[in-house]
């Protein structure tokens, strides 16, 4: 090959490399933006579907019969003269006799410290769910000791030259 042709090929190769260096980042950015646009379009379609669902639900709430049905189902409201029944699951294993008991305030526990009152409350709640043959003594609150250290008492110091507050005149 002639040197002039070789020089032209080298110049052409340099131009192609420069174009590739300039176009690759631009092309990559273009493809990323296309992917982003596609994902945003999918997001728009999903949000439009949610708006349609919420509009349909709002239209249901405009119907008074639907509102009344929801009030009855969610809040267990009844009309005057109707009787409401709640069916308990017999397979749950819980005693239904507990439901009929009334829990009152134990006046004997009012003079206990707060942690004794909490324990008494837990003890009485446990007795409600106990089997009929179970025996627990009503005053079975454990003795809870104070775990905080006693405050330091200020006693006159035995250091020479120290005076007590009462000996100053």
């Amino acid at each position: 090959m002639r040197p002039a042709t070789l020089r032209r090929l080298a110049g052409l190769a340099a131009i192609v490399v420069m174009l590739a260096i300039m176009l690759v980042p631009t092309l990559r950015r273009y493809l990323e933006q296309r992917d982003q646009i596609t994902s945003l379009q999918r997001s728009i379609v999903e949000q439009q579907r949610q708006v349609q669902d919420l509009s349909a639900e709002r239209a249901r709430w405009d119907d008074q019969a639907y509102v009344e049905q929801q009030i009855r189902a969610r809040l267990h409201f009844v009309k005057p003269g109707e009787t409401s029944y709640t069916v308990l699951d017999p397979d749950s294993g819980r005693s239904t006799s507990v439901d009929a008991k009334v829990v009152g305030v134990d006046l004997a526990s009012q003079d206990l410290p707060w942690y004794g009152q909490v324990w008494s409350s837990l003890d009485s709640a446990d007795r409600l769910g106990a089997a009929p043959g179970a025996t627990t003594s009503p005053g079975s609150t454990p003795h809870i000791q104070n775990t905080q250290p006693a405050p330091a008492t200020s006693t006159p110091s035995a250091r020479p030259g120290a005076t007590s507050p009462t000996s100053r005149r």
Side-chain angles (χ1 to χ4, degrees):
M1 283 191 145
R2 292 198 260 148
T5 309
L6 194 55
R7 215 177 310 144
R8 283 184 184 164
L9 282 176
L12 183 61
I15 291 174
V16 168
V17 168
M18 291 296 286
L19 283 175
I21 290 174
M22 290 175 19
L23 290 178
V24 166
T26 305
L27 183 62
R28 186 177 348 135
R29 197 171 308 122
Y30 170 74
L31 294 175
E32 287 173 358
Q33 288 176 353
R34 276 187 45 184
D35 289 343
Q36 186 179 11
I37 288 171
T38 304
S39 68
L40 289 174
Q41 286 173 342
R42 276 189 244 123
S43 173
I44 288 172
V45 169
E46 176 66 25
Q47 288 176 356
Q48 286 174 345
R49 187 190 61 77
Q50 287 177 350
V51 166
Q52 289 173 352
D53 291 346
L54 291 173
S55 297
E57 185 176 346
R58 182 175 176 202
R60 282 193 304 260
W61 281 100
D62 288 338
D63 182 20
Q64 286 299 323
Y66 180 77
V67 171
E68 182 179 333
Q69 174 193 8
Q70 292 300 311
I71 289 173
R72 288 172 167 264
R74 293 180 182 190
L75 303 176
H76 303 288
F77 278 17
V78 293
K79 290 184 177 180
E82 292 180 344
T83 304
S84 175
Y85 294 99
T86 302
V87 179
L88 300 177
D89 185 15
D91 297 331
S92 68
R94 294 186 63 195
S95 173
T96 57
S97 64
V98 173
D99 298 335
K101 293 183 181 178
V102 176
V103 178
V105 176
D106 185 12
L107 296 177
S109 69
Q110 292 298 320
D111 59 343
L112 296 174
W114 69 269
Y115 45 84
Q117 292 177 8
V118 170
W119 185 261
S120 174
S121 172
L122 292 173
D123 187 44
S124 64
D126 281 344
R127 277 186 272 138
L128 285 176
T135 58
T136 58
S137 60
S140 65
T141 57
H143 178 67
I144 301 174
Q145 294 180 351
N146 189 0
T147 58
Q148 295 182 357
T153 58
S154 60
T155 58
S157 175
R159 290 180 287 155
T163 60
S164 68
T166 58
S167 65
R168 281 191 207 153
R169 296 197 180 160

